[in-house]
Amino acid sequence: MAFDLDFDDPSLKAALTLHEGQERQGPGSRATTELLLSLAAPLPERPRVLDLGSGTGAATLILAGIEGARVTAVDVYPPFLEQLRTAAEAAGVADRVHARHGSMDALDDLPDGSLDLIWSEGAAYNIGFGSALASWRRLLSPEGVLVVTECGWLTDAPSKEARAYWDAAYPLRGTGENVEQATAAGYTVTATYLLPDSDWVEAYYAPLDARAAMIDPEDPHAIAAAEDVRREIRLYREHGHEYGYVGYVLRPRRS
C-alpha cells in the first residue's frame, strides 16, 4: 500500500512549500551523487534507471547523464515533479527522463528484473529502510545495483537532545544495523560512504534557511514550518557529529 500524504493539510503544505524551488530536499550534493555512482559501476549499456523519491531531480539529472540511460523519476508531490521536468528540459535531457507521479511503494506494475539501477537519496525512510530494500529487490536485474542513502547514528551513545528529536521524527539505527537489514533483505553490501558535513550545511541547510527567512509573517503554518527548520539546523550545528547520512551500494545476493 502506498504511503498516504494529505497535501491539503496546511502544516504539511507549509513544510513542502519551503522545499519548493530548492535544488535538494535533503542532505546531498553533486559530488556525493557522482561518487556513489562511480561505486555502483559497472553498469550495462543503456541502463534502465529508477530514481525513487526524486524530489526536484538533483540526482535524476546526473543519472540521465549516463550514456544511453533512461530514467524514471518517482515522487508523490506534483510541484517537485514539475520543477524536475523544467530542469530536465533546460539540461537537454527531457527525452531521457520520465517523471512519474506516485509512491515509491506502489510499483506493482513494474516487472521483476526490469531495472539495472535503482537510486534513492534520503527518501527510503518514508516507507521504512528495511521495507524499502525488501520491496525493491525484485525489480533489479541479476547484475543490477541499488544505491540508497539513509540517516543513522554515528555513535553508540547519542545525546538526550539528539535522541529525543530523532525518536520523535524517525528513529535512527547505526550503520551496522542498516547493513544487517540490507543483508536480511537479500543484498550484498559492496560499499558505504558517509556524506560530508558540507552536504548538510552548504548544499541543504543554507538555502533552506534562506527560504525560511522569506515566509509570510502572517501565516501561522509557515511560521511553524520555518521554526521546525531552524530547530533542525540548530540540532545539527550542536549534535551533527552524532548522526549522518550514509550511502549504501547494494547488489542482489545470488542464492
Side-chain angles (χ1 to χ4, degrees):
M1 178 183 296
F3 69 97
D4 296 319
L5 294 174
D6 180 6
F7 295 128
D8 292 325
D9 177 80
S11 297
L12 176 60
K13 179 63 176 176
L16 289 169
T17 298
L18 283 178
H19 289 81
E20 289 180 26
Q22 302 294 305
E23 181 180 1
R24 288 186 173 271
Q25 287 67 57
S29 65
R30 168 173 284 275
T32 289
T33 297
E34 291 177 342
L35 185 148
L36 290 172
L37 187 56
S38 72
L39 293 174
L43 294 173
E45 294 183 5
R46 297 182 293 278
R48 302 159 296 175
V49 183
L50 184 66
D51 185 7
L52 293 169
S54 63
T56 57
T60 307
L61 299 184
I62 296 172
L63 298 173
I66 301 170
E67 185 174 358
R70 292 292 181 270
V71 185
T72 297
V74 179
D75 204 277
V76 295
Y77 190 50
F80 289 165
L81 293 176
E82 284 305 313
Q83 184 178 336
L84 185 155
R85 292 186 183 99
T86 300
E89 187 71 36
V93 295
D95 61 327
R96 305 174 70 172
V97 174
H98 169 60
R100 168 172 164 158
H101 177 237
S103 171
M104 66 181 71
D105 64 346
L107 306 171
D108 291 346
D109 59 307
L110 300 182
D112 291 0
S114 59
L115 296 165
D116 302 303
L117 174 61
I118 298 177
W119 198 273
S120 186
E121 289 194 37
Y125 75 91
N126 284 292
I127 60 174
F129 184 70
S131 297
L133 301 192
S135 65
W136 298 341
R137 187 187 182 284
R138 71 167 187 85
L139 299 172
L140 286 171
S141 64
E143 302 300 326
V145 59
L146 166 62
V147 176
V148 57
T149 66
E150 173 78 346
C151 193
W153 294 120
L154 304 178
T155 175
D156 294 330
S159 63
K160 291 182 180 179
E161 293 83 359
R163 172 72 77 179
Y165 177 88
W166 283 108
D167 280 355
Y170 176 66
L172 302 183
R173 298 167 302 276
T175 301
E177 294 174 276
N178 285 332
V179 167
E180 289 176 359
Q181 288 206 20
T183 301
Y187 296 90
T188 297
V189 180
T190 61
T192 61
Y193 173 70
L194 176 64
L195 275 61
D197 182 72
S198 59
D199 280 15
W200 291 77
V201 176
E202 297 168 19
Y204 179 51
Y205 281 148
L208 186 60
D209 193 30
R211 182 68 177 262
M214 299 171 61
I215 61 164
D216 180 356
E218 303 298 323
D219 183 344
H221 300 292
I223 293 170
E227 181 51 39
D228 284 345
V229 165
R230 295 186 184 109
R231 178 189 175 204
E232 182 180 335
I233 293 173
R234 286 194 298 271
L235 184 80
Y236 186 80
R237 186 181 302 123
E238 296 171 4
H239 300 284
H241 59 284
E242 300 175 24
Y243 57 90
Y245 266 96
V246 172
Y248 298 86
V249 180
L250 312 174
R251 293 189 179 275
R253 189 171 63 252
R254 297 177 181 177
S255 55

